[in-house]
């Protein structure tokens, strides 16, 4: 706390002392840990918002060429020239990447378009977007929960696959080690037998 | 010589819109030939207040254009084309990181606004920053400190606050409960979730006879949904979201408020803080962006968001009359520095200096 008045600082100290003495601790979880942010936890399916996002995706493309400028009071022409040269030199790398990004966006836009079409073909869902009745909201929430569960399962499967691969590689390496060990044992046994034969011969 | 103002959108009831309209009146009183031009004009604003930007023609070199910058839009580029003296009035632009989770297009516009502001550094003759924080922002973007004037505050018509409060709202909330208030549009930079978190602790452990009122227009509906879900999960039943309220209702809410709790992490000025000062509502605010400038040493400025600490502060303010009186005295003193007369005079003085 910052306040230049002495008594406020004193109150601050008293509050801190009270918190320490009583052992008070925050038991309210943070916003980020409680709700899935950005999903509109209570929101119903909003087709118009989806269409707006689609329109935005369709309208906006990433461009490799953009306005090159400098804010330097007197070096501006030189800075701009150098920046142009750098841009030209990096063109072989930047342009295909930008094109790939745009291609990716086009695919995303197509996907969203398919989703909108699919939603519009289902009268219940279309009605839901226009008339957010409680049971339909609940239905949407169920779908959302299922999607979340599916995502969690996917994530777990991925993790399992990862650990399986790790295990597999460690087993493979263990097998290799065992083979080497067996060979070594065989070699030792042979050496032992040779030694035994030599001992017998010496006798 | 004309002194005109231009802005992208002249909204109804928002700080920038009110400020532009207030400046127009000041300029008219100062004997200047003036007008407001905007791309979008809210239909609730009287027609004679502003004209369409398409009607902005015939600017002479000696004319002055005051351009309000608060968002990214194509109109911002046109400022370079106008052949007259240009003053950029910087209201600040919210960092796009705050809103990206809720709207990519919105945050892209904010990003564009920041880039445009930086690129206009050498196209404008002077700049007016709406706070010292905004001034520092402009300097970082390449503006020269000596060409920036930090205006003491927004032109807030205090006489409007003397209007009759909504009696229904007063009756509803004037019931002996502790009313914690925050006013500000629902946007992630305003951090209403931190206000809810503090309230949830306060209600659970300190005073169950309390409610939280979050007033403001909805910018991101999903954010409001998330906030409502959060309040529900926290078991804080008395979190009220009245949305954008009428002016009479707003006055009633300020009049029945016990504490004004602001946890915002980005503000270019924060007019509601001045409103809270006007209505004698003790302020507890998180120390970020322009908030320390606006408070100017009054209220309780916190560098912590710990709900326990903040709840204890609320409790102290409610139950310690001496502390409450002390805070209110500080707020009243600060308010005297932000009166419309002071802002108006300093603006006219500044204009006389530069003309």
């Amino acid at each position: 706390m910052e306040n230049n008045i002495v008594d406020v600082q004193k109150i601050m100290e008293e509050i801190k002392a009270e918190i320490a003495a009583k052992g008070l601790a925050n038991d309210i979880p943070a916003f980020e840990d409680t709700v899935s942010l950005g999903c509109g936890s209570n929101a119903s399916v909003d087709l118009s918002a989806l269409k707006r996002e689609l329109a935005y995706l369709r309208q906006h493309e990433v461009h490799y060429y953009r306005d090159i400028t400098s804010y330097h009071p007197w070096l501006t022409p030189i800075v701009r020239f150098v920046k142009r040269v750098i841009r030209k030199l990096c063109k072989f790398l930047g342009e295909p990447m930008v094109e790939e990004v745009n291609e990716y966006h086009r695919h995303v836009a197509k996907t969203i378009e398919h989703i909108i079409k699919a939603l519009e073909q289902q009268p219940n869902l279309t009605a839901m977007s226009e008339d957010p009745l409680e049971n339909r909201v609940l239905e949407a929430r169920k779908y959302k929960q299922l999607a979340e569960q599916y995502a969690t399962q996917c994530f777990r499967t991925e993790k399992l696959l990862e650990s399986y691969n790790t295990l597999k590689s460690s087993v493979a390496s263990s097998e290799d080690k065992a083979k080497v060990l067996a060979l070594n044992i065989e070699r030792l046994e042979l050496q032992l037998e040779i030694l035994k034969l030599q001992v017998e011969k010496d006798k | 010589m004309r002194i005109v103002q231009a802005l992208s959108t002249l909204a109804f009831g928002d700080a920038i819109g009110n400020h532009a309209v207030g400046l127009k009146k000041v300029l008219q009183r100062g004997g200047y030939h003036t007008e407001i031009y905007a791309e979008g004009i809210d239909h609730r604003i009287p027609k004679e207040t502003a004209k369409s930007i398409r009607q902005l023609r015939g600017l002479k070199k000696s004319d002055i254009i005051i351009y309000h910058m608060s968002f990214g839009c194509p109109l911002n580029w046109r400022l370079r084309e106008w052949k007259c003296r240009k003053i950029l009035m910087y209201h600040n632009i919210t960092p796009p990181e705050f809103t990206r989770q809720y709207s990519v297009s919105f945050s892209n516009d904010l990003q564009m606004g920041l880039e445009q502001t930086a690129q206009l550094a050498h196209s404008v003759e002077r700049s007016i920053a709406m706070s010292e924080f905004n001034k520092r922002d402009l300097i970082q973007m390449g503006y020269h400190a000596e060409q920036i004037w930090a205006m003491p505050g927004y032109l807030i018509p205090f006489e409007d606050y003397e209007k009759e409060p909504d009696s229904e709202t007063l009756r509803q909330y004037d019931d002996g409960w502790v009313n914690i208030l925050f006013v500000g549009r629902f946007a992630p930079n305003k951090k209403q979730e931190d206000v809810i978190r503090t309230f949830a602790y306060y209600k659970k452990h300190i005073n169950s006879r309390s409610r939280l009122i979050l007033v403001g227009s909805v910018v991101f509906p999903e954010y409001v949904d998330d906030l409502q879900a959060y309040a529900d999960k926290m078991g804080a039943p008395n979190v009220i979201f009245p949305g954008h309220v009428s002016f009479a209702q707003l006055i009633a809410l300020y009049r029945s408020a016990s504490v004004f709790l602001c946890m915002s992490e980005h503000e270019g000025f924060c007019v509601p803080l001045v409103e809270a000062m006007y209505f004698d509502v003790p302020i507890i605010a998180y120390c970020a962006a322009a908030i320390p400038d606006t408070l100017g040493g009054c209220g309780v400025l916190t560098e912590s968001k710990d709900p326990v600490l903040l709840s204890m502060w609320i409790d102290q303010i409610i139950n310690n009359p001496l502390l409450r009186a002390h805070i209110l005295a500080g707020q009243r003193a600060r308010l005297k520095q932000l009166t419309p007369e002071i802002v108006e005079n300093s603006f006219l003085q500044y204009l006389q200096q530069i003309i």
Side-chain angles (χ1 to χ4, degrees), chain A residues 26-39:
Chain A
N26 174 36
D27 57 354
I28 309 294
F31 182 53
E32 307 78 50
D33 304 334
T34 317
V35 291
S36 46
L37 299 182
C39 300

Side-chain angles (χ1 to χ4, degrees), chain B residues 272-319:
Chain B
L273 289 175
V274 183
E275 292 175 336
M277 288 177 204
Y278 185 87
F279 288 102
D280 262 352
V281 185
I283 299 166
I284 301 175
Y286 181 62
C287 182
I291 288 169
D293 300 333
T294 307
L295 286 180
C298 75
V300 176
L301 197 61
T302 160
E303 280 175 353
S304 162
K305 285 200 175 186
D306 179 19
V308 185
L309 198 68
L310 292 168
S311 297
M312 299 287 267
W313 264 109
I314 296 171
D315 192 45
Q316 278 287 331
I317 288 173
I318 302 294
N319 295 312

Side-chain angles (χ1 to χ4, degrees), chain A:
Chain A
M1 300 272 168
E2 273 185 7
N3 205 312
N4 294 328
I5 312 300
V6 179
D7 57 343
V8 173
Q9 282 176 346
K10 198 180 161 193
I11 290 165
M12 176 65 198
E13 296 306 319
E14 284 170 5
I15 288 174
K16 278 186 177 169
E18 196 183 337
I19 291 170
K22 290 181 180 171
L24 299 174
N26 174 36
D27 57 354
I28 309 294
F31 182 53
E32 307 78 50
D33 304 334
T34 317
V35 291
S36 46
L37 299 182
C39 300
S41 306
N42 286 341
S44 56
V45 174
D46 185 0
L47 276 184
S48 55
L50 210 55
K51 282 178 183 170
R52 273 200 305 277
E53 293 297 331
L54 179 68
Y56 178 81
L57 263 179
R58 290 220 182 282
Q59 278 168 17
H60 292 80
E61 276 210 335
V62 184
H63 299 286
Y64 178 69
Y65 282 92
R66 52 184 64 207
D67 199 14
I68 278 183
T69 188
S70 155
Y71 311 123
H72 201 281
W74 44 272
L75 273 177
T76 297
I78 301 161
V79 174
R80 286 179 73 173
F81 174 74
V82 173
K83 281 183 177 177
R84 280 211 181 95
V85 170
I86 295 168
R87 182 173 67 180
K88 196 86 179 166
L89 289 172
C90 295
K91 193 183 161 192
F92 79 99
L93 188 71
E95 249 187 1
M97 276 166 76
V98 165
E99 198 35 59
E100 271 180 42
V101 169
N102 284 329
E103 190 56 34
Y104 177 76
H105 285 167
R106 279 191 279 275
H107 280 290
V108 173
K110 265 185 197 171
T111 312
I112 295 177
E113 205 176 330
H114 286 309
I115 293 171
I116 291 172
K117 274 181 189 162
L119 288 172
E120 279 176 342
Q121 277 165 10
Q122 294 184 41
N124 286 346
L125 280 171
T126 314
M128 185 173 66
S129 69
E130 290 156 7
D131 181 19
L133 292 169
E134 194 58 34
N135 54 348
R136 283 168 181 163
V137 173
L138 287 172
E139 206 178 332
R141 278 189 199 150
K142 271 184 207 163
Y143 281 123
K144 196 186 148 208
Q145 272 180 353
L146 278 172
E148 277 172 358
Q149 280 171 3
Y150 176 67
T152 318
Q153 286 303 332
C154 285
F155 181 71
R156 279 184 192 156
T157 313
E158 209 173 291
K159 283 272 167 205
L160 273 171
L161 202 68
E162 230 173 73
S163 54
Y164 169 69
N165 285 334
T166 321
L167 208 64
K168 203 175 148 185
S169 59
S170 69
V171 166
S173 64
S174 303
E175 274 177 3
D176 287 346
K177 278 178 191 167
K179 277 179 190 168
V180 171
L181 212 63
L183 279 170
N184 283 342
I185 290 167
E186 265 178 45
R187 206 181 294 158
L188 280 170
E189 279 172 353
L190 271 170
Q191 279 176 350
L192 195 68
E193 275 187 26
I194 293 164
L195 275 171
K196 273 181 190 173
L197 283 169
Q198 274 179 350
V199 168
E200 274 175 27
K201 217 183 263 178
D202 288 346
K203 274 180 186 176

Side-chain angles (χ1 to χ4, degrees), chain B residues 201-229:
Chain B
Y201 186 90
Y202 179 76
K203 188 162 179 78
K204 190 177 170 187
H205 297 286
I206 296 178
N207 186 355
S208 60
R209 284 168 58 81
S210 55
R211 65 170 71 84
L212 170 66
I213 307 161
L214 295 170
V215 181
S217 54
V218 176
V219 184
F220 307 98
E222 291 87 357
Y223 179 55
V224 181
D225 287 329
D226 285 347
L227 289 175
Q228 279 173 336

